[in-house]
Every structure is written in C-alpha cells, then in structure tokens.
Amino acid sequence: MTTLQHVSGPEANPTGPLHFTQRMGRAEAREQLSNATFDLLVIGGGILGISTAWHAAQSGLRVALVDAGDFAGATSSASSKLLHGGLRYLQTGAVKLVAENHFERRAVTRQVAPHLSRPLKFYLPVYKGGPHGAAKLGAGVFAYSALSGFDDGVGHLLSPAKARAAVPELRVKNLKAVAVYGDSQMNDARMALMTTRAAFEAGAAVLNYAEVTGLRFTDGRVSGADLRDKVDGTEFGVNAHVVLNATGPWVDHLRRMENPAADPSIRLSKGAHLVLKRTADWGAALATPVDKYRITFALPWEDMLLLGTTDEIYEGDPGRVAPTKADFKQILDEASVSVRSEQLNPELITYAFAGLRVLPGGPGATSKAKRETVVTEGRGGMLSVAGGKWTTFRHIGRTVMKKLAALPGYSLGSEMEPVANLPHRLPLPGIANPHAVEHRLLSDGGAPLPNLGEDTAKHLATHYGSLAFDITRLAGEHPELAERVHPDAPEIMAQVVYARDVEWAETAEDVLRRRTTLMIRGLDTPEVRAKIQKLLDRK
C-alpha cells in the first residue's frame, strides 16, 4: 500500500526541501515493469483501462497499467461529471439498460465511493413550444424513478414557483411545469485517481507518462510493448501474456500497430463544457431538452456552474481537441432556454474543456448513437475495448474480465479468480461518510489543524474521504503546507505534496486540473503555478 514516508536528514527539515516519497518512484516502477512477465498489460489509463486493471488485480492476475499521459488525462476527466441512469434512453425503449445503469449508479454513490459522489436532484423544465409536453415528461420521470426502485424519490411534476425557489436563476417565462428526478454527480478525475490507487493497492504496477513506441510479438501474437518514459526519455519494455488496448480515442492507432491494415472501428464525438462562477446558490441541477434527443445541463459542481454539452462528429487529432468559439456560443445559447441571462455573462466563465466520446463505427447522428462498450480481438491476439459510460465503469471492467477468461490460446481463466466471485461493491480507498470526516476535521479532538476552514474541511472530505487525515497530518507537521494554494480556493499546499508523492502527479497541470479544482476555478495564475512547480521539483 502506498504510504507517505518521512525522510531523515536535512531534507526532513521543514525549513529546507520537503520530501515525502512515494514507496515506488519512476525508476523503480520501470524496473518492476521491465523485469517481469505480466498476465495482463493494460495500455491506457482512462477509466476503462483503470477499472479493468483494478478488477484484474483483485482477481489475482499480475497486472501492469501504463498511459502515454496522465491518468484520466483526456476523455475521462472531460465528462459531464454525472453518474446517471440515462433518462433519454427511455425514448428508445432501453428499459433494461436504464435499470442496469441505475444499479451501478446507486452502488457507486452508496457503497463504493460515497466520499467521491453524491445524489443530485434534477429539474427538467417544460416550456411552451418545447420538444416535449408536461404529461410525457411527468410520466417519463416517474418511470425513470421506478427503475431505480424509487430510492431517489418519486419522479413528479413541480410548479414553476417552487422550482424557482430552489434554483433562483431558472428562467420562468413561458415555463409550464418542471419534472423532477434524481441522479448522481462526481468529480471524474478524483474518481479515476482513486480507482488507480485501488488497482495499485491490489498489486498492479502502474506508470503514467509512459508512451508505447511499438508492440512486441512472439510467434505472431502480441506479447508486450516497448515504451518511452516521457519524463526523462528512458526506453524500456513490458512483457505480458495478454495486452489490452484501452486507449480510448487512440484505440485504432494502437490497433494499426498490431495490424497496419486494420479497418477503423470507432468514430468520435466531441463534447464541450463551460465552467462559470455562480451568481446564486443552486438547490438542483437543470436538464433542459434541446430537441427530441438532446438535453443540455446546468449543473452546480465544485461551487461553480457547469454547462454543456455539445455533440458533434470529430475527425481531428484526439490530442488537440479543444472547445471553440462556436462551442461557447452553442452552450450559452442552449443554456439560455432555462437559465437567466445574468448567470450566463461570458465574464463569469472561468474554464472550458472538451472531451471525446468513443462511439461504435457506423452512420447516423452521434446524438442517437448508443453509448455501448465494444470489445474486439485483433489478429495478433490483442484485445481492444472502446466506448461505454462513466456510470458503468465497474461493469465494463467485469465485462472485460469475462472476455479475458474466455480467450483462446494462453488462458487467463486458470490464473484468475472467477469474476462472479469478486465483491460487487468493493469500496474505493478512503471510503467514509464525508459529513463525518468533515465534522471530525473541524472538531477539537480530530483536527490536526486548528485553523482549518470549513470550506477546506468539506473539500478534503469530499475529495479524499478518510484519506483527508493524511493531508491534514502532513500540514500539521509542516505548517507552511497548511497555507492555501490560492486565497479563493479551498485547497492547501499539503495537497500538492500528496499529489506528487502518492497520486503520481508529474506536472503542474496534473495538480491544477486533476488533483485539485484550481484550474476549473480560473486560478491557474503564474504565481500559483510557480508555487506548485517549486514543490514538484523537490522530488
């Protein structure tokens, strides 16, 4: 298990260089990867690869997980931050799919990661002349809540006046009614990092910023990969009985390393989002129908407001995807149907991001395409997994494991615990009631920091769970680490050291964008970046 180890000697002096090391550094991790033959090499540190590595390590396999960038550095940290059943799927009659999604959502929110996700009430406004009527949406949210066992309450209709009381920025002109239902919300980057940590603690060897430069073959079958450490340029390799290609938007690039003549297997859809400062407290999220198939969201998230998303075919370089001026305009225009103009002032925008949905290849509009997971086997025996939803990340991991167990040739089935025997609600590290953690952090008996702010205590509790006490102990031992990274954000400097030494952060952006909320708050200033970089350089 990863622990913070205090280094003796001059570097332990809090007035000198601070150095809390992760038990395994990059050189040691490369040596571990190079000097063993793994049962499974997972290439791709998005949530699909991370989840598979977690389940595979839990099943007893020797697992390696690598990514060319940071863990959850692309699509997996650019989602709408939702765990949801998929209300729109009811239109296509996918009742079983919605019920399965609800099961996974509830499991994650209640048993697996209650410290990283939370229930969220949604308002679905019905406007005069809109694409759906009140009766239809009222029946829809009732059926939706029934498929979740009414665990989030009974879907119903609400008057505009009562809805406005909970969401002051709701536009009420021509508003006929509001349909109410429940789903869940998370910080996707934190969820992915905790799942990576779970895989590591189960025995997986993990390394980010390790780029595949070529595949290894034995008797025509893929048997590993050659890699380059993008941090220091070191070249090394990993041998494995089975290789899983979980590279998301890059899945066909790796498939062509296996077979240069491989046909395209996926298409990409870009989804852009905007983050804004809130002008009022929001007691619920808005899910506003744009047309018969699409919904635009206005979500209270991380004390900010998250708007989106777009859905359009993307054919460019996946590494260069970014929101455009057209995306900004579309998102703000669509949000204006249900959100008052004061909240949509462009000056309130603090951050914008875009990600790529990986969809099965085929014709038709991307908005109507199924968000299904496709697992294929190449001519060299490499498995490729693509597509799916954040909500079902655990289910996808189990699905890939079943495929691995049934592979011809070298069978992993005899090496691994059957998937059916794995705990279905295995918790992620730090599992705890976040309200209890927050209370203890602020209480005299449990707080190692006497002046910890309430916003910082809440932030630590809902991003680390019980692991928050590691952060505050670190700050208690070194008072300079108890200082805020920026006065307008809840994060403290101890989180930067923790991200560096425990959570595989290599760059300032890793910390700003995925280990903390500083970048989405618009606080990526030169001064903040310099402070973070100074601590990262003390490795």
Coordinates of all heavy atoms in Angstrom, one line a residue, residues 68-143:
A68 N 0.2 7.0 -21.9 CA 1.1 7.9 -22.5 C 1.1 9.3 -21.9 O 2.0 10.1 -22.0 CB 0.8 8.0 -24.0
G69 N 0.0 9.6 -21.2 CA -0.1 10.9 -20.5 C -0.4 10.6 -19.0 O 0.1 9.7 -18.4
D70 N -1.2 11.5 -18.5 CA -1.6 11.3 -17.1 C -2.8 10.4 -17.0 O -3.6 10.3 -17.9 CB -1.9 12.7 -16.5 CG -2.1 12.7 -15.0 OD1 -1.7 11.7 -14.3 OD2 -2.8 13.6 -14.4
F71 N -3.0 9.8 -15.8 CA -4.2 9.0 -15.6 C -5.4 9.9 -15.7 O -5.4 11.0 -15.1 CB -4.1 8.3 -14.2 CG -3.0 7.3 -14.1 CD1 -2.0 7.5 -13.1 CD2 -2.8 6.3 -15.0 CE1 -1.0 6.6 -13.0 CE2 -1.8 5.4 -14.9 CZ -0.8 5.5 -13.9
A72 N -6.4 9.5 -16.5 CA -7.6 10.3 -16.7 C -7.3 11.6 -17.3 O -8.0 12.6 -17.1 CB -8.4 10.4 -15.4
G73 N -6.2 11.7 -18.1 CA -5.7 12.9 -18.6 C -6.5 13.4 -19.8 O -6.3 14.6 -20.2
A74 N -7.3 12.6 -20.4 CA -8.0 13.0 -21.6 C -9.5 12.9 -21.4 O -10.1 13.6 -20.5 CB -7.6 12.2 -22.8
T75 N -10.2 12.0 -22.1 CA -11.7 12.0 -22.0 C -12.2 11.7 -20.6 O -13.3 12.3 -20.3 CB -12.1 10.8 -23.0 OG1 -11.8 11.2 -24.3 CG2 -13.6 10.7 -22.9
S76 N -11.5 10.9 -19.8 CA -12.1 10.5 -18.5 C -12.1 11.6 -17.5 O -12.8 11.5 -16.5 CB -11.3 9.3 -18.0 OG -11.5 8.2 -18.8
S77 N -11.5 12.7 -17.8 CA -11.6 13.9 -16.9 C -12.3 15.1 -17.6 O -12.2 16.2 -17.2 CB -10.3 14.4 -16.4 OG -9.4 14.7 -17.4
A78 N -13.0 14.7 -18.7 CA -13.7 15.8 -19.5 C -15.1 15.4 -19.7 O -15.7 15.7 -20.8 CB -13.0 16.0 -20.8
S79 N -15.7 14.7 -18.7 CA -17.1 14.3 -18.8 C -18.0 15.4 -18.3 O -17.6 16.4 -17.8 CB -17.3 13.0 -18.1 OG -17.3 13.2 -16.7
S80 N -19.3 15.1 -18.2 CA -20.3 16.0 -17.6 C -20.4 15.7 -16.1 O -21.3 16.3 -15.4 CB -21.7 15.8 -18.2 OG -21.7 16.2 -19.6
K81 N -19.5 14.9 -15.5 CA -19.4 14.7 -14.1 C -20.6 14.0 -13.5 O -20.9 14.1 -12.3 CB -19.1 16.0 -13.3 CG -18.3 17.0 -14.0 CD -16.9 16.5 -14.4 CE -16.1 17.5 -15.1 NZ -14.8 17.1 -15.6
L82 N -21.3 13.2 -14.3 CA -22.6 12.6 -13.9 C -22.4 11.1 -13.8 O -21.7 10.4 -14.6 CB -23.7 12.9 -14.8 CG -24.1 14.4 -14.9 CD1 -25.2 14.5 -16.0 CD2 -24.5 14.9 -13.6
L83 N -23.1 10.5 -12.8 CA -23.4 9.1 -12.7 C -24.9 9.0 -12.9 O -25.6 9.5 -12.0 CB -23.0 8.5 -11.4 CG -21.4 8.5 -11.1 CD1 -21.2 8.2 -9.7 CD2 -20.7 7.6 -12.0
H84 N -25.4 8.5 -14.0 CA -26.8 8.6 -14.2 C -27.4 7.4 -15.0 O -26.7 6.6 -15.6 CB -27.1 9.9 -15.0 CG -26.5 9.9 -16.4 ND1 -27.2 10.0 -17.6 CD2 -25.2 10.0 -16.7 CE1 -26.4 10.1 -18.6 NE2 -25.2 10.1 -18.1
G85 N -28.7 7.2 -14.8 CA -29.3 6.1 -15.5 C -29.5 6.2 -17.0 O -29.6 5.3 -17.7
G86 N -29.6 7.5 -17.4 CA -29.8 7.7 -18.8 C -31.2 8.0 -19.2 O -31.9 7.1 -19.8
L87 N -31.8 9.1 -18.7 CA -33.2 9.4 -18.9 C -33.6 9.3 -20.4 O -34.7 8.7 -20.7 CB -33.5 10.7 -18.4 CG -35.0 11.2 -18.5 CD1 -35.9 10.3 -17.7 CD2 -35.1 12.7 -18.0
R88 N -32.8 9.7 -21.3 CA -33.1 9.8 -22.7 C -33.2 8.4 -23.3 O -33.9 8.2 -24.4 CB -32.2 10.6 -23.5 CG -30.8 10.0 -23.8 CD -29.9 11.0 -24.6 NE -28.6 10.4 -24.9 CZ -28.4 9.7 -26.0 NH1 -29.4 9.4 -26.9 NH2 -27.2 9.2 -26.3
Y89 N -32.6 7.4 -22.7 CA -32.7 6.0 -23.2 C -34.1 5.4 -23.2 O -34.4 4.5 -23.9 CB -31.7 5.1 -22.5 CG -30.2 5.5 -22.6 CD1 -29.3 5.3 -21.6 CD2 -29.8 6.2 -23.7 CE1 -28.0 5.7 -21.6 CE2 -28.4 6.6 -23.8 CZ -27.6 6.4 -22.7 OH -26.3 6.8 -22.8
L90 N -34.9 6.0 -22.3 CA -36.3 5.5 -22.2 C -37.0 5.7 -23.5 O -38.0 5.0 -23.8 CB -37.0 6.2 -21.0 CG -36.6 5.8 -19.6 CD1 -37.4 6.5 -18.6 CD2 -36.7 4.3 -19.4
Q91 N -36.6 6.8 -24.3 CA -37.3 7.0 -25.5 C -37.1 5.9 -26.5 O -38.0 5.7 -27.4 CB -36.7 8.3 -26.2 CG -37.1 9.6 -25.4 CD -36.7 10.8 -26.2 OE1 -37.5 11.3 -27.0 NE2 -35.5 11.3 -26.0
T92 N -36.0 5.2 -26.4 CA -35.7 4.1 -27.3 C -36.2 2.7 -26.8 O -35.9 1.7 -27.4 CB -34.2 4.0 -27.7 OG1 -33.5 3.8 -26.5 CG2 -33.8 5.3 -28.3
G93 N -36.8 2.8 -25.6 CA -37.3 1.5 -25.0 C -36.2 0.7 -24.3 O -36.5 -0.5 -24.0
A94 N -35.1 1.3 -24.0 CA -34.0 0.6 -23.4 C -34.2 0.5 -21.9 O -33.4 1.0 -21.1 CB -32.7 1.3 -23.8
V95 N -35.3 -0.1 -21.5 CA -35.6 -0.1 -20.1 C -34.6 -0.9 -19.3 O -34.2 -0.5 -18.2 CB -37.0 -0.8 -19.9 CG1 -37.4 -1.0 -18.4 CG2 -38.1 0.1 -20.6
K96 N -34.2 -2.0 -19.8 CA -33.2 -2.9 -19.0 C -31.9 -2.1 -18.9 O -31.2 -2.1 -17.8 CB -32.9 -4.2 -19.8 CG -32.0 -5.1 -19.1 CD -31.8 -6.4 -19.9 CE -30.8 -7.3 -19.2 NZ -30.5 -8.6 -20.0
L97 N -31.4 -1.4 -19.9 CA -30.2 -0.6 -19.8 C -30.3 0.5 -18.7 O -29.4 0.7 -17.9 CB -29.9 0.1 -21.2 CG -28.7 1.0 -21.2 CD1 -27.4 0.3 -20.9 CD2 -28.6 1.7 -22.6
V98 N -31.4 1.2 -18.7 CA -31.6 2.2 -17.7 C -31.6 1.6 -16.3 O -30.9 2.2 -15.3 CB -32.9 3.0 -17.9 CG1 -33.2 3.9 -16.7 CG2 -32.9 3.7 -19.2
A99 N -32.2 0.5 -16.1 CA -32.2 -0.2 -14.8 C -30.8 -0.6 -14.4 O -30.4 -0.4 -13.2 CB -33.2 -1.4 -14.8
E100 N -30.1 -1.1 -15.3 CA -28.7 -1.5 -15.0 C -27.8 -0.3 -14.7 O -27.0 -0.4 -13.8 CB -28.1 -2.3 -16.2 CG -28.7 -3.6 -16.5 CD -28.2 -4.3 -17.8 OE1 -27.6 -3.6 -18.6 OE2 -28.5 -5.5 -18.0
N101 N -28.0 0.8 -15.4 CA -27.3 2.0 -15.1 C -27.6 2.5 -13.7 O -26.7 3.0 -13.0 CB -27.6 3.1 -16.2 CG -27.0 2.8 -17.5 OD1 -26.2 1.9 -17.7 ND2 -27.4 3.5 -18.5
H102 N -28.9 2.5 -13.4 CA -29.3 2.9 -12.0 C -28.6 2.0 -11.0 O -28.2 2.6 -9.9 CB -30.8 2.8 -11.9 CG -31.5 4.1 -12.3 ND1 -31.1 5.3 -11.8 CD2 -32.6 4.3 -13.1 CE1 -31.9 6.2 -12.3 NE2 -32.9 5.6 -13.1
F103 N -28.6 0.7 -11.2 CA -27.9 -0.2 -10.2 C -26.5 0.2 -10.0 O -26.0 0.3 -8.8 CB -28.0 -1.6 -10.7 CG -27.2 -2.6 -9.8 CD1 -27.8 -3.1 -8.7 CD2 -25.9 -2.9 -10.1 CE1 -27.1 -4.0 -7.9 CE2 -25.2 -3.8 -9.3 CZ -25.8 -4.3 -8.2
E104 N -25.8 0.5 -11.1 CA -24.4 0.9 -11.0 C -24.2 2.2 -10.3 O -23.3 2.4 -9.4 CB -23.7 0.9 -12.3 CG -23.4 -0.5 -12.9 CD -22.4 -1.3 -12.1 OE1 -21.4 -0.7 -11.7 OE2 -22.7 -2.4 -11.8
R105 N -25.1 3.2 -10.7 CA -25.0 4.5 -10.1 C -25.2 4.4 -8.6 O -24.5 5.0 -7.8 CB -26.1 5.4 -10.7 CG -26.2 6.8 -10.1 CD -27.4 7.5 -10.7 NE -28.7 7.0 -10.4 CZ -29.4 7.2 -9.3 NH1 -28.8 8.0 -8.3 NH2 -30.6 6.7 -9.1
R106 N -26.2 3.7 -8.1 CA -26.5 3.6 -6.7 C -25.4 2.9 -6.0 O -25.0 3.3 -4.9 CB -27.8 2.8 -6.5 CG -29.1 3.6 -6.9 CD -30.3 3.0 -6.3 NE -30.4 1.5 -6.5 CZ -30.9 0.9 -7.5 NH1 -31.5 1.6 -8.5 NH2 -31.0 -0.4 -7.6
A107 N -24.8 1.9 -6.6 CA -23.7 1.1 -5.9 C -22.5 2.0 -5.7 O -21.9 2.0 -4.6 CB -23.3 -0.1 -6.8
V108 N -22.2 2.8 -6.7 CA -21.0 3.7 -6.6 C -21.3 4.8 -5.6 O -20.5 5.1 -4.7 CB -20.7 4.4 -8.0 CG1 -19.6 5.4 -7.8 CG2 -20.2 3.3 -8.9
T109 N -22.5 5.4 -5.6 CA -22.8 6.5 -4.7 C -23.0 6.1 -3.3 O -22.7 6.9 -2.4 CB -24.1 7.2 -5.2 OG1 -23.9 7.6 -6.6 CG2 -24.4 8.5 -4.4
R110 N -23.4 4.9 -3.1 CA -23.7 4.5 -1.7 C -22.7 3.5 -1.1 O -22.4 3.6 0.1 CB -25.1 3.8 -1.7 CG -26.2 4.8 -2.1 CD -27.5 4.2 -2.0 NE -28.6 5.2 -2.4 CZ -29.9 5.0 -2.4 NH1 -30.3 3.8 -1.9 NH2 -30.7 5.9 -2.8
Q111 N -22.2 2.5 -1.9 CA -21.3 1.5 -1.3 C -19.8 1.6 -1.7 O -18.9 1.3 -1.0 CB -21.8 0.1 -1.6 CG -23.1 -0.3 -0.8 CD -24.3 -0.1 -1.7 OE1 -24.2 0.0 -2.9 NE2 -25.4 0.0 -1.0
V112 N -19.6 2.1 -2.9 CA -18.2 2.0 -3.5 C -17.5 3.3 -3.2 O -16.3 3.3 -2.8 CB -18.3 1.8 -5.0 CG1 -16.9 1.8 -5.6 CG2 -18.9 0.4 -5.3
A113 N -18.1 4.5 -3.4 CA -17.4 5.7 -3.3 C -18.4 6.8 -2.8 O -18.5 7.9 -3.5 CB -16.8 6.1 -4.6
P114 N -19.0 6.7 -1.7 CA -19.9 7.8 -1.2 C -19.1 9.0 -0.8 O -19.7 10.1 -0.7 CB -20.5 7.2 0.1 CG -19.6 6.1 0.5 CD -19.0 5.6 -0.7
H115 N -17.8 8.9 -0.7 CA -16.9 10.1 -0.4 C -16.6 10.9 -1.7 O -16.1 12.0 -1.6 CB -15.6 9.7 0.3 CG -14.9 8.6 -0.4 ND1 -15.4 7.4 -0.9 CD2 -13.5 8.5 -0.6 CE1 -14.5 6.6 -1.4 NE2 -13.4 7.3 -1.3
L116 N -16.8 10.3 -2.8 CA -16.5 10.9 -4.1 C -17.7 11.2 -5.0 O -17.5 11.9 -6.0 CB -15.5 10.0 -4.9 CG -14.2 9.5 -4.1 CD1 -13.5 8.5 -5.0 CD2 -13.4 10.7 -3.8
S117 N -18.8 10.8 -4.6 CA -20.0 11.1 -5.4 C -21.2 11.4 -4.5 O -21.2 11.0 -3.3 CB -20.4 9.9 -6.3 OG -20.5 8.7 -5.5
R118 N -22.2 12.0 -5.0 CA -23.4 12.3 -4.2 C -24.6 12.4 -5.0 O -24.6 12.6 -6.2 CB -23.2 13.7 -3.5 CG -23.1 14.9 -4.5 CD -22.8 16.2 -3.8 NE -22.9 17.3 -4.8 CZ -23.9 18.0 -5.1 NH1 -25.1 17.7 -4.5 NH2 -23.9 19.0 -5.9
P119 N -25.8 12.1 -4.4 CA -27.1 12.3 -5.1 C -27.3 13.7 -5.5 O -26.9 14.6 -4.8 CB -28.1 11.8 -4.1 CG -27.4 11.0 -3.1 CD -26.0 11.6 -3.0
L120 N -28.0 13.9 -6.6 CA -28.3 15.3 -7.1 C -29.7 15.3 -7.7 O -30.0 14.5 -8.5 CB -27.2 15.7 -8.2 CG -27.4 17.1 -8.8 CD1 -27.2 18.2 -7.7 CD2 -26.4 17.3 -9.9
K121 N -30.5 16.3 -7.3 CA -31.8 16.4 -7.8 C -31.7 17.2 -9.1 O -31.0 18.2 -9.3 CB -32.7 17.2 -6.8 CG -34.1 17.4 -7.2 CD -34.9 18.2 -6.2 CE -35.0 17.4 -4.8 NZ -35.8 18.2 -3.8
F122 N -32.6 16.7 -10.1 CA -32.6 17.4 -11.4 C -34.0 17.9 -11.6 O -35.0 17.3 -11.4 CB -32.3 16.3 -12.5 CG -30.8 16.1 -12.6 CD1 -30.1 15.3 -11.8 CD2 -30.1 16.7 -13.7 CE1 -28.7 15.1 -11.9 CE2 -28.7 16.5 -13.8 CZ -28.0 15.7 -12.9
Y123 N -34.0 19.1 -12.2 CA -35.2 19.7 -12.7 C -35.2 19.7 -14.2 O -34.2 20.2 -14.8 CB -35.4 21.2 -12.2 CG -35.7 21.4 -10.8 CD1 -35.6 22.6 -10.2 CD2 -36.0 20.3 -10.0 CE1 -35.9 22.8 -8.8 CE2 -36.3 20.5 -8.6 CZ -36.2 21.7 -8.1 OH -36.5 21.9 -6.7
L124 N -36.3 19.2 -14.8 CA -36.4 19.2 -16.2 C -37.5 20.1 -16.6 O -38.7 19.8 -16.5 CB -36.7 17.7 -16.7 CG -36.3 17.3 -18.1 CD1 -36.3 15.8 -18.1 CD2 -37.3 17.8 -19.1
P125 N -37.2 21.3 -17.1 CA -38.2 22.3 -17.3 C -39.0 22.1 -18.6 O -38.5 21.6 -19.6 CB -37.4 23.7 -17.4 CG -36.1 23.3 -17.8 CD -35.8 21.9 -17.2
V126 N -40.3 22.4 -18.5 CA -41.2 22.2 -19.7 C -41.7 23.6 -20.1 O -42.4 24.2 -19.4 CB -42.4 21.3 -19.4 CG1 -43.3 21.1 -20.6 CG2 -41.9 20.0 -18.8
Y127 N -41.2 24.0 -21.3 CA -41.6 25.4 -21.8 C -42.6 25.3 -22.9 O -42.7 24.3 -23.6 CB -40.4 26.1 -22.3 CG -39.4 26.6 -21.2 CD1 -38.3 25.8 -20.8 CD2 -39.6 27.8 -20.5 CE1 -37.5 26.2 -19.8 CE2 -38.8 28.2 -19.5 CZ -37.7 27.4 -19.2 OH -36.8 27.8 -18.1
K128 N -43.4 26.3 -23.0 CA -44.4 26.4 -24.1 C -43.7 26.3 -25.4 O -42.7 27.0 -25.6 CB -45.1 27.7 -24.0 CG -46.2 27.9 -25.0 CD -46.9 29.3 -24.8 CE -48.0 29.5 -25.9 NZ -48.7 30.8 -25.8
G129 N -44.1 25.4 -26.3 CA -43.5 25.2 -27.6 C -42.3 24.3 -27.5 O -41.6 24.2 -28.5
G130 N -41.9 23.7 -26.4 CA -40.8 22.9 -26.3 C -41.0 21.5 -26.9 O -42.1 21.2 -27.4
P131 N -39.9 20.7 -27.0 CA -40.0 19.5 -27.8 C -40.8 18.4 -27.1 O -41.2 17.4 -27.7 CB -38.5 19.0 -27.9 CG -37.8 19.7 -26.8 CD -38.5 21.0 -26.6
H132 N -41.1 18.6 -25.8 CA -41.9 17.5 -25.0 C -42.9 18.2 -24.2 O -42.7 19.3 -23.7 CB -40.9 16.7 -24.1 CG -39.8 16.1 -24.8 ND1 -40.0 15.0 -25.7 CD2 -38.5 16.3 -24.8 CE1 -38.8 14.7 -26.2 NE2 -37.9 15.4 -25.7
G133 N -44.0 17.6 -24.0 CA -45.1 18.1 -23.1 C -44.9 17.7 -21.7 O -44.2 16.7 -21.4
A134 N -45.7 18.4 -20.8 CA -45.6 18.1 -19.3 C -46.0 16.7 -19.0 O -45.4 16.0 -18.2 CB -46.4 19.1 -18.6
A135 N -47.1 16.2 -19.6 CA -47.6 14.9 -19.3 C -46.6 13.8 -19.7 O -46.3 12.9 -18.9 CB -48.9 14.6 -20.1
K136 N -46.0 14.0 -20.9 CA -45.0 13.0 -21.3 C -43.8 13.0 -20.4 O -43.3 11.9 -20.0 CB -44.5 13.3 -22.7 CG -43.4 12.4 -23.3 CD -43.0 12.8 -24.7 CE -41.8 11.9 -25.1 NZ -41.4 12.3 -26.5
L137 N -43.2 14.1 -20.0 CA -42.1 14.2 -19.1 C -42.4 13.8 -17.7 O -41.6 13.1 -17.1 CB -41.5 15.6 -19.1 CG -40.8 16.0 -20.5 CD1 -40.2 17.4 -20.3 CD2 -39.7 15.0 -20.9
G138 N -43.6 14.1 -17.3 CA -44.0 13.6 -15.9 C -44.1 12.1 -15.9 O -43.6 11.5 -14.9
A139 N -44.6 11.5 -16.9 CA -44.7 10.0 -17.0 C -43.3 9.5 -17.1 O -42.9 8.4 -16.5 CB -45.5 9.6 -18.2
G140 N -42.4 10.2 -17.9 CA -41.0 9.7 -18.1 C -40.2 9.7 -16.8 O -39.5 8.7 -16.5
V141 N -40.3 10.8 -16.0 CA -39.5 10.8 -14.8 C -40.1 9.8 -13.7 O -39.3 9.3 -12.9 CB -39.4 12.2 -14.2 CG1 -38.7 13.1 -15.2 CG2 -40.8 12.8 -13.8
F142 N -41.4 9.6 -13.7 CA -42.0 8.6 -12.8 C -41.4 7.2 -13.2 O -41.0 6.4 -12.3 CB -43.5 8.6 -12.9 CG -44.1 7.6 -12.0 CD1 -44.4 7.9 -10.7 CD2 -44.5 6.3 -12.5 CE1 -44.9 6.9 -9.8 CE2 -45.0 5.3 -11.6 CZ -45.3 5.7 -10.3
A143 N -41.4 6.8 -14.5 CA -40.9 5.6 -14.9 C -39.4 5.5 -14.6 O -38.9 4.4 -14.1 CB -41.1 5.3 -16.4

